[in-house]
Amino acid sequence: MKKIISLFLVLALSVAVFAACSKDAEKSEQKEETDAVSITVDSHYEDFDESAVNAYEKICQAIMNGDEQVNFNMLQLENVNQLYYTSFPLSSLVESIEILPDNSGYQIKYKNSLEEHKKLVDEFDSMILSIKEECGYSQVSTDNYIFNVYTYITKNFTADSSVLTPYDALVQKKGYSSAINALFEYLVLQGGGKACHVVGNGEASFISLVQFEGKWYYFDAYSEIEDNQGKALKFFAMSDTSLNATYSYTDGEKVTETGDGAFDKLRQSQSFEINGTKVTAALSDGSNFEIDLA
């Protein structure tokens, strides 16, 4: 009987240890996913042919690795280039990218030595992951994360018309509309949200189109910085009813998503307070406007 009890206890302990190890492995796997910078695609192009997306991802991974050559399906070259130049911030580290003599892919030349290039890629990844963590990625809802990213950028970055790429904006903590808003979109995509880079027609600048609370709205973090350095939410979740311009995607297609005006009152915002998942914006007419980010 004592042997049977002893055997039972050993088996029970083994099961408990196995279960604990399984949970630890699961947590470790989840942490690795959280701690990884994804190769993302501007949401306007998410329905591109799978072979084009795969080729784009191969190029991105090659650049992240510091490879000097990458082979892919050249039949999708136009779509691959559209994705690469719209969606990949680390393209700023590339000196040139040229078609191989046998038309089998690209030859890649970098602005820096291989050692320095890899160091810059690692630093970029660390900065992106740090901002994601600061903004509550995986700990808050996607809408809350989008709000956190927007306010993080508007409070911590400055406007500078000489900084034109999202990579340089991230490193220097400043940039022009094309850079600041592209970085905002990239961080939204990194957090599992949907975002597009859109271009104003006429004299209007680059702004962002982001899905928030299930609908598409315009966001302009750069103008928020210029106007009030993140103290208000004047350019958060705008619809076309509050804009004086029309916009197109980076391929020239006109934007037809227009929002529903649900947040138009924020154009009068002067300040805001955050209490948990509740945001209360003070408006210029003395009233308040509330956003529930739960």
Side-chain angles (χ1 to χ4, degrees), residues 6 33 75 87 99 164 171 178 193 201 225 256-257 278 290:
S6 297
E33 292 178 359
L75 295 175
S87 304
I99 297 175
L164 303 178
V171 172
S178 56
N201 299 315
I225 292 168
T256 57
E257 300 285 357
K278 305 287 186 182
E290 292 191 353

Side-chain angles (χ1 to χ4, degrees), residues 24-256:
D24 288 342
E26 185 178 346
K27 287 179 180 178
S28 177
E29 185 177 341
Q30 289 173 347
K31 188 177 188 303
E32 286 180 6
E33 292 178 359
T34 301
D35 290 350
V37 174
S38 307
I39 297 173
T40 58
V41 174
D42 182 299
S43 296
H44 179 58
Y45 305 105
E46 63 184 7
D47 293 330
F48 262 13
D49 187 278
E50 185 178 356
S51 62
V53 176
N54 289 339
Y56 158 73
E57 290 176 345
K58 285 186 69 175
I59 294 171
C60 295
Q61 191 61 58
I63 292 170
M64 293 165 72
N65 294 340
D67 298 336
E68 296 181 345
Q69 181 176 313
V70 58
N71 300 102
F72 62 91
N73 179 7
M74 295 292 284
L75 295 175
Q76 292 289 340
L77 184 60
E78 183 177 350
N79 287 342
V80 170
N81 284 339
Q82 184 70 67
L83 293 174
Y84 174 74
Y85 289 107
T86 301
S87 304
F88 190 55
L90 288 174
S91 61
S92 295
L93 298 179
V94 176
E95 181 68 36
S96 65
I97 187 165
E98 299 175 354
I99 297 175
L100 290 166
D102 61 359
N103 288 315
S104 65
Y106 274 147
Q107 179 77 34
I108 307 169
K109 293 182 180 179
Y110 299 100
K111 294 179 180 179
N112 303 282
S113 67
L114 180 58
E115 182 180 358
E116 178 65 15
H117 174 78
K118 289 184 175 180
K119 177 183 175 184
L120 292 174
V121 171
D122 288 343
E123 290 175 350
F124 173 85
D125 287 356
S126 294
M127 286 185 280
I128 291 296
L129 293 173
S130 177
I131 294 174
K132 287 176 64 177
E133 183 178 3
E134 178 78 16
C135 295
Y137 173 65
S138 79
Q139 304 299 314
V140 299
S141 68
T142 301
D143 289 334
N144 199 337
Y145 172 78
I146 291 169
F147 176 87
N148 292 346
V149 169
Y150 183 85
T151 53
Y152 177 91
I153 289 178
T154 58
K155 289 180 179 179
N156 293 286
F157 287 67
T158 57
D160 188 323
S161 60
S162 69
V163 180
L164 303 178
T165 71
Y167 172 83
D168 291 319
L170 176 68
V171 172
Q172 300 181 40
K173 294 294 185 289
K174 61 183 180 180
Y176 188 52
S177 60
S178 56
I180 293 288
N181 290 332
L183 178 60
F184 168 62
E185 296 146 23
Y186 181 75
L187 285 163
V188 168
L189 292 167
Q190 286 292 319
K194 292 181 178 292
C196 309
H197 200 54
V198 297
V199 186
N201 299 315
E203 296 182 0
S205 61
F206 296 85
I207 64 173
S208 307
L209 188 68
V210 175
Q211 193 175 77
F212 183 74
E213 292 193 354
K215 297 182 176 63
W216 289 94
Y217 296 97
Y218 296 99
F219 290 72
D220 191 351
Y222 175 79
S223 291
E224 198 80 71
I225 292 168
E226 271 202 318
D227 184 84
N228 58 75
Q229 195 56 64
K231 294 178 181 177
L233 297 168
K234 291 183 179 181
F235 301 90
F236 181 92
M238 300 177 289
S239 62
D240 66 341
T241 56
S242 63
L243 294 170
N244 296 317
T246 56
Y247 291 86
S248 300
Y249 299 102
T250 53
D251 61 359
E253 182 181 334
K254 185 178 179 181
V255 176
T256 57

